[in-house]
Amino acid sequence: MVADNADGKLYPYENKNWAMLVKADPDHPLKPGTKTGGMVVLIQNIGGTARKLNSYIGLTYRTSTALGQVVFTSPWEKADELNADTAVGGTFAPDGLPGDKVFLALTPPVTEGSKVQAVITSIEQDRKVWSFLPRDGWEVGQEYIVTAWAEGDEHPSAPVARKFKAVAPKPSVTILTPGREGAEISQMTRLTGSYGGTVKQVGGITILHNGSTLTVRQDYPEKGIWTVEPPTDGWALGDGHRIEVQANNGASSSDKVTRNFQVSKVKPGKPRITVPPTPVADYYSTYKPPSLAGVVDRWMQFGSSLGPCDKVTVTDPKQPERTMTAKLEYDSVNDSYQWSLDTDWIASDEGVRHDVVATAWLGDERSEDAKISFVMKTPAAEDNPIQFTSPQHNAPEADSHVELKGTALMNTPNVTISERGATTLAELPAVVGTITDEHLTHWSWKPQGAWTAGPHTVVVTASRPNQKNEIAFTVAGAPNIFILTPATDGLIIYDHDMINGSLPIDVKDEQVTIIDTCDGNELVFSAVNNGDRRFHYSPPTSGGGWRTGTHSLVAKAGHYTSDPRRFTVAGKKLVVLKEGPLYEHGSIKFEIPDNWDRFVIEWTDGKVMETPVTALKKDVDGKPSEYPNYLFKVYQPPAGYWKTGTYTLKCWGADGKSLGEDSRLLTVV
């Protein structure tokens, strides 16, 4: 195969029919004088697709021009019965290529028909297995003939058949505690195990302890868990304990399972907390919560054996549950127990300190405690693992076929894309898979259709840990000025409501003129344009506001004129935010009705939203007003809080009904 290896290179043998490349597995190098080592074999023969075969020992390899036959492992060759809830299945013969598909011909047919396709899955080292189980199971008492063959590159393998009779599932039973032959347990340890088949009735599990029958509790029949409580005074100290367990359903019985064990004054080993590692971070957030995990090791102390445990509990007084049970798994390789807890930790803006205590248990015996403390905070917007790379927040206009792109927390499997408000694409919501490289996890989605002209808000969410973010953009269509609020014709507004709109890309800094026609009378106003391709106008608070009646309004800037927006002014608005300026350490000014009971003030910059002010009437009654005609001065928020953005005042009466709301863009000076 190698014509000349003097230069250290490997040259494959090639001709028009097949080509093969053999190279050593770098994880298992071939050593001189040995017969061990991994090989990777790439072969191309009966079709045009290169195939990867299993690893082989040493330098052994083989080629084939035909697919290998399928091999049945269920039912195995000496069995003529198969449980009604067990799949037929198998592997591929080692003397040929594995198939891409496996088909089965069934006599008589099942729910899926007389010809079905098996499911192929890969196990270690890319070896493949196949299986099939009818949706309704095999019919008990029915004899079946299953003929199986593989196909690859449209070439079929030789068929192989099995004949079997479907029988009621035979009961089965296992022992979980004690965990292995000769295990050491404490005096108060519960005996536990699992069972399967059709063992669901009470009394289906019998357990003998040194020849005497024990009382068995069959917990969770749908899961098949059994337990035996220890005697009141505990199991007798010493070895010589033997249990014999069997399951039955009246028609048949499982094989008997036995276990010998010894009882001693065993205490559980002290748990160790390995995740999060110490020192812990300054704080964690719901976007990046700490995973809590550790081990319980078997060890000796002053001649006393410590190690086995039934469970690990985690106590935290700040959590609603206070005490939580961790997931516990036995590590047979290291003779230890691994535990982990996955939960949502309580957080706040200031931070919640969690003082966590982990305890291992063996019956009623508890271990020493393992402790760790960390702080959970409400995440800042920049900490959000869901970020957008297309479109971008600073580019509010997007193409009608814009592709959504972004990132998520490392190794997030998928994200869900939806549209807030009325859905304009039938393709949404959509679940999108991700791609993870060495630095980030990326996601992208492009609609097959087109976004409608106008504003859109897209929300991207992912599963735990509670990732969510959104972005707003406008599909402009043909360049024009758009009036965004009032959002549609025919709406009712009030005397000081604000008009908002957007500008085409080439009129960013131009003067914006509002032409308002009411009852045949035309008035002209200048709108505020901050150079962000957005404009705003509301009547001065010192005047009477919009004229009562029906209006038709257009906006002009450069050589563009918006379509008319028609609305009706109903009169004085009950809830009114006063226009600025807003001083960083000053007070916000507004009007609300005398019968108010509660109000909030929200702030947003278009990306994030906050609620700096929440007030109840019972808390502010009697406070003097600093401004004529204003109800009172709002509580001062934290020093330096006020910042440029859109503020919304919402107010409710004592009956819980809304008294109205008002929004206004305020600039901090």
Side-chain angles (χ1 to χ4, degrees):
M1 182 169 61
V2 179
D4 181 6
N5 199 30
D7 57 1
K9 297 181 179 179
L10 186 64
Y11 295 90
Y13 178 88
E14 297 185 30
N15 65 26
K16 65 180 181 179
N17 294 321
W18 59 273
M20 182 169 63
L21 168 63
V22 180
K23 63 179 180 180
D25 183 346
D27 294 331
H28 303 281
L30 299 177
K31 298 179 181 179
T34 68
K35 296 182 180 181
T36 62
M39 302 295 294
V40 174
V41 179
L42 296 176
I43 185 168
Q44 178 178 325
N45 47 20
I46 64 173
T49 304
R51 297 174 173 278
K52 183 178 180 181
L53 299 185
N54 302 341
S55 297
Y56 296 100
I57 299 300
L59 295 175
T60 303
Y61 63 90
R62 58 172 169 265
T63 65
S64 174
T65 58
L67 289 177
Q69 289 181 319
V70 295
V71 176
F72 278 89
T73 57
S74 172
W76 74 302
E77 59 182 351
K78 295 183 180 181
D80 55 7
E81 292 184 345
L82 186 69
N83 277 358
D85 60 355
T86 302
V88 295
T91 60
F92 296 89
D95 57 353
L97 296 174
D100 296 323
K101 299 177 182 178
V102 171
F103 293 97
L104 308 177
L106 306 173
T107 306
V110 294
T111 305
E112 290 80 358
S114 58
K115 180 182 177 182
V116 298
Q117 184 174 342
V119 177
I120 297 180
T121 55
S122 295
I123 56 176
E124 58 180 348
Q125 297 183 345
D126 293 324
R127 287 180 292 178
K128 295 181 178 181
V129 296
W130 58 270
S131 63
F132 172 77
L133 177 66
R135 182 169 60 249
D136 301 326
W138 307 103
E139 182 181 347
V140 174
Q142 178 66 56
E143 286 193 346
Y144 290 90
I145 298 176
V146 178
T147 303
W149 69 94
E151 289 188 5
D153 296 326
E154 300 183 355
H155 290 260
S157 70
V160 180
R162 272 286 187 278
K163 182 178 180 180
F164 64 88
K165 180 180 180 180
V167 296
K170 183 180 179 180
S172 62
V173 69
T174 63
I175 298 174
L176 301 178
T177 306
R180 59 191 181 279
E181 183 70 13
E184 184 181 21
I185 68 172
S186 75
Q187 290 178 277
M188 302 308 296
T189 297
R190 296 182 183 89
L191 307 183
T192 66
S194 63
Y195 57 90
T198 56
V199 186
K200 293 186 178 181
Q201 72 277 19
V202 175
I205 308 295
T206 57
I207 298 181
L208 298 179
H209 173 246
N210 293 345
S212 299
T213 302
L214 298 178
T215 301
V216 183
R217 189 173 70 240
Q218 291 173 228
D219 301 326
Y220 309 112
E222 68 279 3
K223 298 181 180 179
I225 302 295
W226 62 262
T227 58
V228 173
E229 296 292 336
T232 304
D233 298 328
W235 306 104
L237 294 174
D239 51 17
H241 290 272
R242 175 185 175 86
I243 57 174
E244 183 179 282
V245 185
Q246 188 174 35
N248 62 81
N249 60 13
S252 59
S253 300
S254 70
D255 296 332
K256 293 181 179 179
V257 182
T258 61
R259 185 71 41 90
N260 294 286
F261 61 93
Q262 57 181 308
V263 179
S264 60
K265 291 185 177 180
V266 180
K267 292 183 178 293
K270 179 180 178 180
R272 288 189 289 118
I273 298 175
T274 57
V275 180
T278 54
V280 298
D282 292 338
Y283 69 90
Y284 297 91
S285 75
T286 51
Y287 291 147
K288 297 181 179 179
S291 298
L292 194 62
V295 297
V296 182
D297 293 322
R298 177 188 293 275
W299 56 298
M300 300 291 292
Q301 184 181 45
F302 306 123
S304 174
S305 174
L306 293 89
C309 65
D310 297 326
K311 65 179 179 179
V312 171
T313 59
V314 176
T315 303
D316 178 5
K318 295 297 177 64
Q319 290 294 104
E321 312 94 317
R322 294 185 63 86
T323 299
M324 299 156 283
T325 301
K327 179 181 178 181
L328 186 65
E329 294 180 341
Y330 176 67
D331 181 0
S332 59
V333 175
N334 299 307
D335 193 20
S336 65
Y337 288 84
Q338 299 179 345
W339 62 271
S340 60
L341 180 70
D342 194 13
T343 189
D344 294 319
W345 302 102
I346 300 298
S348 71
D349 292 345
E350 298 76 20
V352 176
R353 178 183 174 88
H354 293 268
D355 297 312
V356 173
V357 177
T359 308
W361 295 84
L362 184 58
D364 293 332
E365 295 281 353
R366 65 177 294 160
S367 70
E368 298 180 47
D369 294 332
K371 300 179 180 180
I372 195 170
S373 297
F374 54 86
V375 174
M376 289 291 297
K377 286 188 175 183
T378 304
E382 57 269 21
D383 294 332
N384 195 330
I386 298 279
Q387 295 292 335
F388 294 89
T389 57
S390 172
Q392 297 180 342
H393 283 291
N394 58 359
E397 284 189 3
D399 181 79
S400 60
H401 289 84
V402 62
E403 182 175 11
L404 303 177
K405 296 181 181 180
T407 58
L409 196 66
M410 200 72 170
N411 296 317
T412 297
N414 54 63
V415 299
T416 300
I417 299 175
S418 58
E419 192 172 2
R420 186 152 61 83
T423 301
T424 59
L425 279 176
E427 305 163 52
L428 294 180
V431 178
V432 178
T434 64
I435 297 177
T436 299
D437 58 27
E438 59 181 332
H439 302 294
L440 286 170
T441 291
H442 306 267
W443 54 266
S444 63
W445 182 78
K446 188 172 184 178
Q448 296 179 348
W451 299 98
T452 58
H456 299 268
T457 300
V458 170
V459 182
V460 177
T461 60
S463 58
R464 184 183 179 86
N466 302 326
Q467 305 172 63
K468 180 179 181 180
N469 207 348
E470 64 180 49
I471 192 169
F473 58 89
T474 299
V475 175
N480 201 357
I481 299 176
F482 291 96
I483 296 175
L484 303 178
T485 54
T488 59
D489 281 343
L491 296 182
I492 295 176
I493 70 170
Y494 296 91
D495 57 351
H496 286 85
D497 278 355
M498 180 181 291
I499 302 297
N500 299 286
S502 65
L503 300 170
I505 193 169
D506 57 341
V507 293
K508 180 177 180 181
D509 299 317
E510 277 78 352
Q511 173 71 42
V512 179
T513 300
I514 300 290
I515 302 173
D516 173 44
T517 303
C518 179
D519 297 332
N521 296 317
E522 185 177 281
L523 292 179
V524 179
F525 314 104
S526 294
V528 176
N529 178 11
N530 293 324
D532 59 356
R533 294 170 56 203
R534 292 286 190 269
F535 65 89
H536 319 274
Y537 175 77
S538 59
T541 55
S542 57
W546 297 105
R547 296 164 289 175
T548 302
T550 301
H551 293 246
S552 177
L553 180 147
V554 296
K556 291 187 176 183
H559 61 279
Y560 294 101
T561 301
S562 72
D563 292 333
R565 181 53 44 86
R566 299 170 181 84
F567 55 88
T568 300
V569 176
K572 181 176 178 59
K573 193 170 187 178
L574 298 179
V575 177
V576 180
L577 264 175
K578 301 298 184 179
E579 64 183 352
L582 180 61
Y583 296 96
E584 184 176 351
H585 298 282
S587 301
I588 199 166
K589 294 166 285 200
F590 56 88
E591 290 182 1
I592 56 178
D594 291 338
N595 63 334
W596 76 281
D597 182 70
R598 176 173 65 95
F599 73 80
V600 298
I601 297 177
E602 297 175 346
W603 170 90
T604 182
D605 62 355
K607 301 178 184 178
V608 296
M609 177 176 288
E610 299 173 1
T611 306
V613 176
T614 300
L616 297 174
K617 190 171 186 177
K618 64 182 180 64
D619 296 328
V620 297
D621 259 351
K623 289 183 179 290
S625 171
E626 288 191 356
Y627 305 96
N629 302 321
Y630 301 151
L631 181 63
F632 58 85
K633 170 186 172 182
V634 171
Y635 297 138
Q636 289 286 359
Y641 173 82
W642 300 124
K643 43 193 175 182
T644 297
T646 299
Y647 288 82
T648 300
L649 170 66
K650 299 179 180 180
C651 186
W652 295 267
D655 58 359
K657 293 183 179 179
S658 172
L659 298 178
E661 63 180 72
D662 190 25
S663 296
R664 187 174 295 275
L665 175 67
L666 297 177
T667 302
V668 173
V669 297

Short mmCIF file of all heavy atoms in Angstrom, two decimals, residues 170-173 194-199 224 247:
data_model
loop_
_atom_site.label_atom_id
_atom_site.label_comp_id
_atom_site.label_asym_id
_atom_site.label_seq_id
_atom_site.Cartn_x
_atom_site.Cartn_y
_atom_site.Cartn_z
N LYS A 170 -42.24 -10.62 31.06
CA LYS A 170 -41.89 -11.39 32.25
C LYS A 170 -41.45 -10.43 33.35
O LYS A 170 -40.72 -9.47 33.08
CB LYS A 170 -40.78 -12.38 31.93
CG LYS A 170 -40.39 -13.27 33.10
CD LYS A 170 -39.28 -14.23 32.69
CE LYS A 170 -38.87 -15.10 33.88
NZ LYS A 170 -37.79 -16.04 33.51
N PRO A 171 -41.87 -10.65 34.57
CA PRO A 171 -41.43 -9.76 35.65
C PRO A 171 -39.92 -9.78 35.81
O PRO A 171 -39.25 -10.77 35.51
CB PRO A 171 -42.13 -10.34 36.88
CG PRO A 171 -43.26 -11.16 36.36
CD PRO A 171 -42.79 -11.69 35.04
N SER A 172 -39.39 -8.65 36.26
CA SER A 172 -37.96 -8.56 36.54
C SER A 172 -37.79 -7.75 37.81
O SER A 172 -38.65 -6.96 38.19
CB SER A 172 -37.22 -7.88 35.39
OG SER A 172 -37.69 -6.55 35.22
N VAL A 173 -36.67 -7.95 38.49
CA VAL A 173 -36.43 -7.25 39.76
C VAL A 173 -34.94 -7.07 39.94
O VAL A 173 -34.14 -7.89 39.47
CB VAL A 173 -37.05 -8.05 40.94
CG1 VAL A 173 -36.30 -9.34 41.18
CG2 VAL A 173 -37.11 -7.20 42.20
N SER A 194 -35.61 -2.01 42.24
CA SER A 194 -36.55 -1.68 41.16
C SER A 194 -37.15 -2.96 40.61
O SER A 194 -36.64 -4.05 40.85
CB SER A 194 -35.83 -0.91 40.05
OG SER A 194 -34.84 -1.72 39.45
N TYR A 195 -38.26 -2.80 39.89
CA TYR A 195 -38.89 -3.96 39.27
C TYR A 195 -39.53 -3.53 37.96
O TYR A 195 -39.81 -2.35 37.74
CB TYR A 195 -39.93 -4.60 40.20
CG TYR A 195 -41.03 -3.67 40.67
CD1 TYR A 195 -42.21 -3.53 39.94
CD2 TYR A 195 -40.89 -2.93 41.84
CE1 TYR A 195 -43.22 -2.69 40.38
CE2 TYR A 195 -41.89 -2.09 42.28
CZ TYR A 195 -43.06 -1.96 41.55
OH TYR A 195 -44.05 -1.13 41.97
N GLY A 196 -39.74 -4.49 37.06
CA GLY A 196 -40.31 -4.19 35.75
C GLY A 196 -41.26 -5.27 35.30
O GLY A 196 -41.64 -6.16 36.05
N GLY A 197 -41.63 -5.21 34.02
CA GLY A 197 -42.62 -6.14 33.51
C GLY A 197 -44.01 -5.70 33.90
O GLY A 197 -44.32 -4.52 33.93
N THR A 198 -44.87 -6.62 34.24
CA THR A 198 -46.26 -6.29 34.58
C THR A 198 -46.51 -6.42 36.08
O THR A 198 -47.60 -6.78 36.51
CB THR A 198 -47.23 -7.20 33.81
OG1 THR A 198 -46.89 -8.57 34.10
CG2 THR A 198 -47.14 -6.96 32.33
N VAL A 199 -45.50 -6.15 36.89
CA VAL A 199 -45.63 -6.26 38.35
C VAL A 199 -46.16 -4.94 38.86
O VAL A 199 -45.41 -4.01 39.12
CB VAL A 199 -44.29 -6.59 39.02
CG1 VAL A 199 -44.50 -6.85 40.50
CG2 VAL A 199 -43.66 -7.78 38.35
N GLY A 224 -41.69 1.62 39.15
CA GLY A 224 -41.16 0.34 39.59
C GLY A 224 -40.08 0.47 40.64
O GLY A 224 -38.94 0.07 40.42
N ALA A 247 -39.91 -11.18 41.81
CA ALA A 247 -41.14 -10.50 41.37
C ALA A 247 -42.02 -11.50 40.66
O ALA A 247 -41.54 -12.41 39.98
CB ALA A 247 -40.80 -9.34 40.44
#
